[in-house]
Amino acid sequence: MIAFACRLSFIKADEPYRGYLVFDVLEENQADEVKLMAVYSTKYNALRWGATTMIIPPVGGEKLITEFLN
């Protein structure tokens, strides 16, 4: 689902927002939140913003699209 949202960002968003995806990681268990955020940071270059918000830049979005939608 996140790969699809990244694709939509490339298609629908206007500059300077094209290709960026911003979302919150909200898990019942805080340890699970931290693990999931670490995966997104490591694999897709996501940046943490605040306590639970993540931003996937275009380069990470392209990687997600290639991995899951092609």
Side-chain angles (χ1 to χ4, degrees):
M1 184 163 48
I2 290 178
F4 185 74
C6 287
R7 179 184 278 170
L8 286 178
S9 177
F10 279 105
I11 294 169
K12 302 275 185 181
D14 294 325
E15 292 296 337
Y17 307 108
R18 183 169 287 133
Y20 286 90
L21 183 68
V22 179
F23 60 97
D24 285 311
V25 177
L26 302 171
E27 298 289 328
E28 288 184 26
N29 183 323
Q30 187 175 6
D32 292 337
E33 262 180 28
V34 171
K35 287 178 191 175
L36 190 55
M37 290 172 119
V39 168
Y40 283 121
S41 293
T42 303
K43 289 186 77 172
Y44 306 113
N45 303 323
L47 307 168
R48 188 172 179 174
W49 186 293
T52 61
T53 303
M54 302 284 304
I55 301 170
I56 296 179
V59 67
E62 289 173 347
K63 189 174 180 183
L64 273 161
I65 292 165
T66 300
E67 186 174 335
F68 294 105
L69 298 179
N70 289 335

